[in-house]
Amino acid sequence: MLDKYPKLKGILHYLLVHPYTSRPRWWARTFLIPFVIKRGKGSIIRRKARLDIIPSKKIKLGIKSVIEDYAIINNGMGDILIGDYTHVTSRVKLVGPVILGNYVTIGSGAQITGLTHNYLDISKPISQQGVTPNQTIIKDDVWIGGNSCINQGITIGTHCIIASGSVVTKDVPPYSVVGGNPARILRQYDFKKQEWVKINK
């Protein structure tokens, strides 16, 4: 709706968000953001979590899901939807648009982003070229090891393990273990054999 009125949109954005830190102003963090977040029963957001939230985008936290201290949650470029029983541990960074399924656990220091920075115009600094949203999706029952990086536009399938320190640059099929930089599939579950099978290079 506000897209039809760019001047009004700009004024409202200025009132809500600091012009060059992309962080909501103190009054918005105190009086507005707590009412923007849709919270499931028993969900927890620790007091020291950093919530860079704007009301024009969605943020949802499912039943008994937790966002720990020092996590950074930013929905400035797209919705952040977190399922049930999902644990966003300390120092995790989520930059929307991102969808996390149910029973997802994210280790400390991991980063999941749903956007990329534009760089093609060499006459402008990259920092002034804006970003392009590209939704990242983490399906149910995924464990993401600490200090991993999940790039924009990636889909990680059900019941996957992402080894600590991995850099995931492409989609991960369900029931896979991946690791490395760039991450590659190390093991997959074979439903015929009913066991995890090592994948050779």
Side-chain angles (χ1 to χ4, degrees):
M1 177 180 164
L2 282 176
D3 290 336
K4 296 179 181 178
Y5 307 98
K7 199 173 250 186
L8 176 60
K9 184 179 179 180
I11 292 169
L12 290 175
H13 190 269
Y14 180 83
L15 292 173
L16 282 170
V17 180
H18 190 280
Y20 54 87
T21 67
S22 301
R23 190 171 191 193
R25 297 183 185 275
W26 71 268
W27 71 267
R29 296 196 305 269
T30 305
F31 301 111
L32 181 61
I33 288 171
F35 302 100
V36 169
I37 302 169
K38 292 187 178 179
R39 303 269 302 269
K41 186 176 181 181
S43 63
I44 297 171
I45 300 176
R46 301 292 186 195
R47 186 173 58 86
K48 293 181 181 178
R50 176 171 164 173
L51 304 176
D52 294 349
I53 304 301
I54 60 172
S56 61
K57 306 292 183 185
K58 294 178 184 176
I59 176 164
K60 179 184 174 187
L61 188 62
I63 296 168
K64 293 187 178 178
S65 287
V66 179
I67 297 174
E68 294 286 4
D69 283 333
Y70 308 112
I72 299 173
I73 312 297
N74 185 315
N75 76 338
M77 288 303 298
D79 301 339
I80 293 182
L81 308 177
I82 300 173
D84 301 333
Y85 307 101
T86 286
H87 199 167
V88 179
T89 52
S90 178
R91 294 180 174 82
V92 167
K93 186 176 183 180
L94 297 180
V95 180
V98 168
I99 297 176
L100 303 179
N102 304 321
Y103 295 98
V104 174
T105 299
I106 308 171
S108 180
Q111 176 174 299
I112 302 172
T113 182
L115 59 82
T116 185
H117 287 268
N118 302 326
Y119 66 92
L120 296 176
D121 186 348
I122 62 169
S123 68
K124 288 183 180 179
I126 295 169
S127 62
Q128 294 180 9
Q129 293 191 45
V131 297
T132 300
N134 192 3
Q135 186 177 69
T136 298
I137 301 172
I138 313 297
K139 298 288 183 74
D140 296 344
D141 190 21
V142 172
W143 188 288
I144 297 174
N147 298 313
S148 296
C149 180
I150 314 299
N151 284 358
Q152 69 282 349
I154 299 298
T155 296
I156 296 178
T158 301
H159 199 96
C160 285
I161 302 289
I162 311 300
S164 295
S166 297
V167 177
V168 182
T169 60
K170 57 185 179 181
D171 292 351
V172 178
Y175 304 98
S176 299
V177 178
V178 303
N181 178 11
R184 66 178 184 85
I185 299 173
L186 305 175
R187 292 180 180 271
Q188 280 188 302
Y189 191 76
D190 188 319
F191 282 91
K192 289 183 180 178
K193 294 180 179 178
Q194 294 191 336
E195 64 181 16
W196 289 89
V197 176
K198 187 175 180 180
I199 304 298
N200 295 319
K201 287 186 180 179

